[in-house]
């Protein structure tokens, strides 16, 4: 029983609330937003150390015994994700200073970012499926604010669709929760993991499992349900895009990971094979988009969809290398997507456009930016020793050990497409005839570039030092593969 | 009773889908409202409609007589959330109508080439 795991949720909530009092005080807003994100990161790191040392942490709110109160659970996976979320939010706050514009900063931009953090951290930490719904709504509400923030015409147009898609998926979420409750009589995830194997009628549970896949699939942007993502993510400015691309879809991915390893395991032959097939289709659909566009933002946005497919394929295998690989790739993908959006944002600012065909020759004026981008692009494609490699290696290995070996072949083949799509940006934007760039003050450029370089450096360390992080990853994988650890930690309290 | 409720829920979902497939933004918003009503009613029904006593421990009441308090707590939360989202959606729709000059979803399609 430790309240520590609530801090990454409460700290940003506190700072966001305070920040809402004085929206116009620019310097104070910036300072407090950065402090809040940094404090959350520290709390998250302390939590990770504690989880690593003492095992899964659980607290049930109001001191009710576990299946009755709302449980908050921090296992290694959720602790790792909370740390990564906090890192990304901190860097997004720094990157926002020069890029987002004073007008937006003075209109509740930072509170919205911190509220988003509350929702994401909460969704990663909760141990109750209805509470997951509530935290998802918290983060969605913040994301509605952010996606329409500034009120430009394309933003308004796209946020309507984003809102509608999410309202429908939320209604389905409530319906799925209702069905699950009527069948099992509980909503606590650990309790569900105990009760579901005792139910002999697996048919109805399989239907519910697929309903949850649809619900989380909307958030995670899996194959037939990803249609809303490219349009909606395209409209907001780059810092918000980075935040969304790195965090929002990952909540859906995490929810699928959690539910499909912890309790929806009664009919693996059907549900997990379906998940594997959908994952592969997601990758293929993402690849088509990533190659089809000449727009830097669109290319990276479609790469989000590809990564979602890769992660879910590892989970669908439900064996040790597959799950470990998925966790590693999930963390890698959050960091690298944020870094790539930062880089693409700088490139777009320098050229004043996001169209690749109007770019060129940046390597002569900004060589360091070019090489940083190349490192990030290689990391995305998974070239050893960068951070995309160990995760992908394990996922592919998991696929070959499972029945869906053909999926691993697709992942290997599509890695080349990912590389091509990312390097295409390098070729068009950095090589070729120099195109006139928008003059940018050195200090502004540095303000944008320094957080980016640090983030890219973190991904490089994460890849090169993979051996160092593997104990954490395999610890998280162990809990996912042995639900009894999770159940004991929650119900024993 | 559960059967009647199921029919009502089905009708609400049907009406919601019909409204959400129309072009006018305001009809879509009403549709989302009906959709969440349907989902909330489903939540209440799925908890079981039996139970005649309030869920407070009292003498002479057997366990099967209690009403299930959990769906009511869940539904309350869900109603509050959908209320907030619907009001946000209405404001967004009004603002979009002012800025974009239309509430026809056909005209709000938006391609990569313009805007």
């Amino acid at each position: 029983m430790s309240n520590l795991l609530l801090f990454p949720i409460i700290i940003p909530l506190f700072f966001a609330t305070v920040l809402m009092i004085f929206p116009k005080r620019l310097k104070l807003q910036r300072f407090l937003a950065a402090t809040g994100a940094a404090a959350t990161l520290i709390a998250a790191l302390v939590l990770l150390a504690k989880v690593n040392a003492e095992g899964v942490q659980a607290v049930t709110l109001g001191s009710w015994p576990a299946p009755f109160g709302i449980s908050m659970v921090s296992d290694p996976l959720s602790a790792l994700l909370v740390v990564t979320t906090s890192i990304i939010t901190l860097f997004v706050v720094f990157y926002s200073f020069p890029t987002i514009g004073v007008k937006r900063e003075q209109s509740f931009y930072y509170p919205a970012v911190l509220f988003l953090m509350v929702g994401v951290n909460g969704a990663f930490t909760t141990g109750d499926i209805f509470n997951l719904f509530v935290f998802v709504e918290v983060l969605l509400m913040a994301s509605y604010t952010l996606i329409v923030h500034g009120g430009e015409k394309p933003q308004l147009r796209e946020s309507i669709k984003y809102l509608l898609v999410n309202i429908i998926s939320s209604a389905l979420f409530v319906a799925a929760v209702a069905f699950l409750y009527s069948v099992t009589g509980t909503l606590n995830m650990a309790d569900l993991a105990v009760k579901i194997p005792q139910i002999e009628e697996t048919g109805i549970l399989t239907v519910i499992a697929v309903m949850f896949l649809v619900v989380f699939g909307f958030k995670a942007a899996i194959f037939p349900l990803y249609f809303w993502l490219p349009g909606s993510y395209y409209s907001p400015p780059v810092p918000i895009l980075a935040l969304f691309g790195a965090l929002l879809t990952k909540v859906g991915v995490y929810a699928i990971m959690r539910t499909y390893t912890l309790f929806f395991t009664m009919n693996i032959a059907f549900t997990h094979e379906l998940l594997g097939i959908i994952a592969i289709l997601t990758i293929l659909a993402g690849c088509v988009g990533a190659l089809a566009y000449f727009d830097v933002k669109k290319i990276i946005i479609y790469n989000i969809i590809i990564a979602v497919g890769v992660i879910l394929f590892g989970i669908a295998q439900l064996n040790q290398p597959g799950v470990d690989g998925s966790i590693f790739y999930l963390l890698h993908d959050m960091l690298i997507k944020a870094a790539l959006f930062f880089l693409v944002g700088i490139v777009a600012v320098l050229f004043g456009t996001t169209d690749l065909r109007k770019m060129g020759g940046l390597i002569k004026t900004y060589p360091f930016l070019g090489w940083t981008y190349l490192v990030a692009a290689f990391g995305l494609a998974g070239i050893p020793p960068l951070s995309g490699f160990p995760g992908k290696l394990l996922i592919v290995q998991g696929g070959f050990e499972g029945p869906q070996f053909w999926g691993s072949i697709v992942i290997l083949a599509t890695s080349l497409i990912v590389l091509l799509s990312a390097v295409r940006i390098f070729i068009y934007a950095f090589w070729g005839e120099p195109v006139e760039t928008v003059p940018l003050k050195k200090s502004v450029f540095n303000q944008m570039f320094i957080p980016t370089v640090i983030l890219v450096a973190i991904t490089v360390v994460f890849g090169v030092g993979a051996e160092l992080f593997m104990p954490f990853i395999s610890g998280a994988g162990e809990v996912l593969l042995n639900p009894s650890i999770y159940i004991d930690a929650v119900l024993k309290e | 009773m559960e059967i009647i409720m199921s029919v009502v829920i089905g009708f609400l979902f049907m009406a919601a889908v019909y409204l959400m497939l129309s072009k006018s933004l305001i009809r879509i918003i009403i549709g989302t409202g009906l959709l969440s009503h349907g989902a909330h009613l489903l939540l209440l029904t799925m908890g079981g409609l039996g139970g005649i006593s309030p869920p407070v421990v009292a003498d002479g009441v057997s366990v099967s007589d209690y009403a299930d308090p959990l769906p009511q707590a869940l539904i309350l939360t869900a109603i509050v959330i959908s209320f907030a989202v619907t009001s946000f959606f209405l404001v967004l729709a009004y603002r979009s109508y002012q800025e974009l000059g239309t509430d026809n979803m056909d005209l709000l399609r938006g391609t990569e080439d313009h805007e």
Side-chain angles (χ1 to χ4, degrees):
Chain A
M1 186 86 175
S2 154
N3 287 330
L4 185 64
L5 58 111
L6 298 176
F7 276 81
I9 305 167
I10 291 173
I11 294 173
L13 182 70
F14 171 76
F15 275 91
T17 318
V18 170
L19 279 176
M20 284 173 76
I21 301 168
F22 37 80
K24 301 291 172 203
R25 305 270 301 273
L26 189 59
K27 279 203 175 123
L28 202 57
Q29 286 272 322
R30 287 179 173 183
F31 174 72
L32 280 182
T35 317
T40 315
L41 178 58
I42 292 164
L45 285 171
V46 173
L47 173 65
L48 180 63
K50 193 173 168 75
V51 168
N52 198 41
E54 297 174 20
V56 181
Q57 299 289 310
V59 59
T60 307
L61 301 181
S63 290
W64 290 87
F68 305 111
I70 296 170
S71 297
M72 303 298 275
V73 188
S74 198
D75 69 337
L77 173 63
S78 78
L80 280 170
L81 285 169
V82 167
V83 170
T84 319
T85 304
S86 312
I87 293 174
I88 288 166
T89 316
L90 181 64
F91 280 100
V92 167
V93 168
F94 282 131
Y95 188 81
S96 299
F97 294 163
T99 49
I100 197 81
V102 172
K103 238 181 148 176
R104 277 198 174 93
E105 284 180 278
Q106 288 180 336
S107 323
F108 303 102
Y109 169 73
Y110 294 115
V113 170
L114 290 179
F115 276 127
L116 188 81
M117 195 181 189
V118 174
V120 174
N121 281 347
F124 287 148
T125 313
T126 184
D128 183 287
I129 200 118
F130 192 79
N131 199 234
L132 176 67
F133 165 74
V134 174
F135 274 118
V136 165
E137 287 300 316
V138 170
L139 80 89
L140 281 177
M141 207 66 195
S143 78
Y144 300 152
T145 324
L146 284 173
I147 200 166
V148 77
H149 205 262
E152 291 163 15
K153 280 182 183 177
Q155 277 186 305
L156 287 164
R157 195 186 62 217
E158 293 305 328
S159 18
I160 293 173
K161 298 164 198 170
Y162 178 75
L163 211 71
L164 185 59
V165 165
N166 280 305
I167 289 174
I168 293 171
S169 91
S170 297
L172 283 177
F173 200 158
V174 175
V177 165
F179 287 134
L180 189 64
Y181 180 69
S182 80
V183 174
T184 60
T186 181
L187 291 172
N188 186 300
M189 291 198 208
D191 204 26
L192 280 170
V194 176
K195 295 239 166 79
I196 281 181
Q198 296 168 358
I199 296 170
E200 284 167 14
E201 198 68 42
T202 55
I204 184 75
L205 284 169
T206 310
V207 173
I208 295 171
V210 175
M211 265 191 93
F212 271 103
L213 183 62
V214 172
V215 169
F216 298 139
F218 265 115
K219 321 259 189 249
I222 62 175
F223 165 61
L225 309 170
Y226 71 92
F227 57 88
W228 56 272
L229 188 133
S232 302
Y233 279 20
Y234 186 74
S235 56
V238 171
I240 298 175
L241 174 60
L243 202 59
F244 282 18
L247 301 182
L248 288 199
T249 52
K250 305 306 180 289
V251 174
V253 173
Y254 164 79
I256 294 175
M257 257 177 157
R258 180 63 79 200
T259 52
Y260 270 62
T261 54
L262 190 61
F263 46 85
F264 287 139
T265 48
M266 61 284 150
N267 194 355
I268 292 174
F270 178 75
T271 47
H272 286 63
E273 196 180 337
L274 178 72
L275 183 62
I277 292 168
I278 287 177
I280 294 300
L281 289 172
T282 311
I283 297 173
L284 293 175
C287 285
V288 173
L291 289 183
Y293 286 96
F294 274 99
D295 188 297
V296 282
K297 272 157 87 179
K298 274 265 158 68
I299 292 172
I300 309 292
I301 287 171
Y302 274 99
N303 270 300
I304 300 175
I305 299 170
I306 300 175
V308 166
V310 174
I311 297 164
L312 290 181
F313 182 76
I315 283 298
Q317 304 315 310
L318 212 60
N319 53 18
Q320 200 222 335
V323 170
D324 284 2
S326 286
I327 296 165
F328 196 99
Y329 202 81
L330 178 58
L331 301 175
H332 143 78
D333 190 63
M334 291 168 84
L335 293 168
I336 200 84
K337 282 287 139 61
L340 275 170
F341 279 121
F342 285 0
L343 284 162
V344 162
I346 297 175
V347 171
V349 166
L350 283 172
F351 285 110
T353 172
T354 54
D355 191 342
L356 272 183
R357 283 166 293 198
K358 292 175 190 153
M359 299 178 179
L362 205 58
I363 200 86
K364 288 194 179 113
T365 36
Y366 292 94
F368 199 47
L369 178 66
W371 299 122
T372 313
Y373 178 78
L374 197 66
V375 170
F378 282 174
L380 177 73
I383 288 180
L386 296 168
S387 60
F389 176 71
K392 227 170 208 171
L393 177 73
L394 286 168
I395 290 172
V396 168
Q397 191 193 338
F400 279 125
E401 284 176 15
Q404 289 172 319
F405 62 91
W406 50 272
S408 294
I409 298 168
V410 175
I411 289 182
L412 287 175
T414 51
S415 296
L416 293 175
I417 297 179
V418 172
L419 181 63
L420 176 63
S421 71
V423 166
R424 224 159 54 110
I425 298 178
F426 184 74
I427 292 171
Y428 274 91
F430 292 96
W431 285 356
E433 283 302 303
V435 173
E436 203 175 332
T437 54
V438 178
L440 199 62
K441 258 197 265 167
K442 192 78 191 154
S443 63
V444 176
F445 176 77
N446 282 341
Q447 265 186 313
M448 287 196 277
F449 192 51
I450 289 167
T452 314
V453 169
I454 298 172
L455 202 54
V456 173
I458 290 175
T459 71
V460 171
V461 171
F462 191 52
V464 177
E467 205 64 46
L468 213 66
F469 298 99
M470 259 343 256
F472 293 95
I473 307 283
S474 51
E478 202 191 332
V479 176
L480 283 191
L481 288 169
N482 303 311
S484 57
I485 304 174
Y486 188 93
I487 296 166
D488 286 347
V490 179
L491 295 183
K492 213 173 50 192
E493 283 290 324
Chain B
M1 191 63 189
E2 273 88 351
I3 299 291
I4 300 171
M5 288 296 265
S6 307
V7 173
V8 173
I9 293 159
F11 187 81
L12 280 171
F13 270 71
M14 183 194 74
V17 171
Y18 175 76
L19 283 171
M20 284 193 295
L21 290 176
S22 56
K23 287 176 188 170
S24 159
L25 197 49
I26 199 76
R27 277 164 172 262
I28 292 173
I29 298 175
I30 295 172
T32 60
L34 288 184
L35 186 71
S36 27
H37 287 335
H40 298 157
L41 215 51
L42 182 70
L43 195 58
L44 196 67
T45 314
M46 283 293 135
L49 296 173
I52 41 171
S53 314
V56 181
V57 178
D59 288 334
V61 187
S62 77
V63 177
S64 56
D65 288 341
Y66 289 122
D68 189 348
L70 193 67
Q72 301 175 20
L74 301 184
I75 207 173
L76 194 62
T77 318
I79 286 172
V80 172
I81 291 170
S82 80
F83 168 71
V85 174
T86 308
S87 51
F88 185 87
F89 204 174
L90 280 168
V91 173
L92 179 68
Y94 183 61
R95 181 75 199 277
S96 319
Y97 180 72
Q98 283 181 325
E99 286 277 321
L100 303 164
T102 178
D103 73 333
N104 187 339
M105 286 307 279
D106 262 1
L107 301 174
L108 293 176
R109 194 169 285 162
T111 53
E112 53 169 326
D113 296 325
H114 65 80
E115 292 186 332

